[in-house]
Amino acid sequence: MAMTQKQRNISTQIPSIRHDNSRPFLTQKALLNSLHAQQIFERGYEMCANALFSLSVVLRFIGTEEQAQEVDAMVDTLINQALEGIQKESLRLKEIAESNGIETTIGYTSAKTVDVQITSPRSIKYLAIIREFDGMMANMDALWLSCVITDTQYARGVYEWKRRILRLAGQIRQIATRAVLAARRKENSEVIAEASETQVAEADKSAFETAKDKITEAE
């Protein structure tokens, strides 16, 4: 059981990312109003950003550009689908609020401004998802405070969207881990094959020189 747990923990780590390596980053401030958006940022952003950095930089270093572009397309699809889904839901909630004459501009008691390190072009896209979710929460909170949606509907909606956004970060991490490991295995197999070919060539050369020496001695 302990061995299984150890293997599971290792498999979730993204290989070839060293946190002591110097990486470029931009710092962007983001105002997150809702507690739920703040929690998603704390639990999912860094994990997702590290995975996206791995895909943008590490995979291209040990793999091929073709492999990297294929994985990029897969990740872009997941990110775009999530962002589009949140935008559609936010618009739907806003339309419900407007039809009920509800003001969606509300305040929050503990809004927080966070300093976000942008370490790859796609990490800012995951941040955009969190910020879009925060805006969607304003519409949902307005409907909840105005008794348009029940406590149960509110709790279920928050839970499902938070799970979806955090699951996206987990999916991207898994994709990055598998892609880097696959590229590393291919790299190692090519190195082994090259080493074997070199050994065979050296053995053939040695055998040829030995045979040549024997012929010379016989003469």
Side-chain angles (χ1 to χ4, degrees):
M1 179 66 180
M3 184 176 295
T4 303
Q5 182 65 35
K6 182 177 180 181
Q7 291 175 345
R8 184 181 297 112
N9 292 339
I10 292 175
S11 67
T12 61
Q13 297 174 358
I14 302 173
S16 298
I17 287 186
R18 290 175 56 86
H19 293 283
D20 55 344
N21 286 346
S22 181
R23 292 186 277 171
F25 67 89
L26 294 174
T27 300
Q28 183 174 116
K29 292 186 179 296
L31 174 63
L32 300 178
N33 291 297
S34 68
L35 170 65
H36 305 295
Q38 294 169 8
Q39 289 177 336
I40 290 175
F41 177 78
E42 292 171 359
R43 298 173 187 174
Y45 178 77
E46 184 177 0
M47 172 178 65
C48 190
N50 284 335
L52 292 168
F53 175 84
S54 179
L55 294 176
S56 292
V57 179
V58 178
L59 183 57
R60 282 174 166 79
F61 180 75
I62 65 175
T64 65
E65 181 62 25
E66 183 179 358
Q67 289 174 322
Q69 289 183 1
E70 182 178 351
V71 178
D72 285 347
M74 186 187 309
V75 170
D76 284 340
T77 298
L78 291 174
I79 291 176
N80 293 335
Q81 287 177 345
L83 185 58
E84 182 180 355
I86 296 172
Q87 290 172 338
K88 286 183 177 179
E89 179 64 8
S90 184
L91 179 61
R92 186 183 74 84
L93 294 174
K94 187 175 182 179
E95 289 175 348
I96 294 175
E98 290 176 350
S99 65
N100 285 273
I102 297 171
E103 177 60 51
T104 58
T105 303
I106 63 175
Y108 288 86
T109 59
S110 298
K112 183 188 298 184
T113 298
V114 295
D115 291 326
V116 187
Q117 285 192 0
I118 306 300
T119 53
S120 72
R122 286 179 178 81
S123 62
I124 199 170
K125 293 184 178 180
Y126 190 76
L127 176 61
I129 288 176
I130 298 175
R131 298 178 77 165
E132 192 71 30
F133 170 76
D134 195 38
M136 186 194 80
M137 280 305 308
N139 295 325
M140 188 180 295
D141 287 335
L143 292 175
W144 174 61
L145 292 172
S146 301
C147 299
V148 176
I149 60 176
T150 65
D151 292 346
T152 300
Q153 291 172 324
Y154 178 83
R156 183 183 299 117
V158 170
Y159 171 77
E160 290 178 353
W161 277 106
K162 286 177 68 175
R163 184 180 64 173
R164 179 175 177 179
I165 298 171
L166 288 172
R167 185 171 57 191
L168 172 63
Q171 287 176 316
I172 293 174
R173 181 180 62 178
Q174 289 180 350
I175 291 172
T177 301
R178 291 171 182 171
V180 171
L181 287 175
R184 178 178 289 175
R185 282 195 297 267
K186 183 178 180 181
E187 181 186 41
N188 291 339
S189 64
E190 289 176 351
V191 170
I192 293 172
E194 183 178 352
S196 299
E197 291 175 359
T198 301
Q199 291 175 352
V200 170
E202 290 178 351
D204 290 343
K205 180 179 179 181
S206 177
F208 173 77
E209 291 177 349
T210 300
K212 181 179 179 182
D213 291 341
K214 289 183 179 180
I215 293 173
T216 301
E217 291 174 359
E219 293 177 348

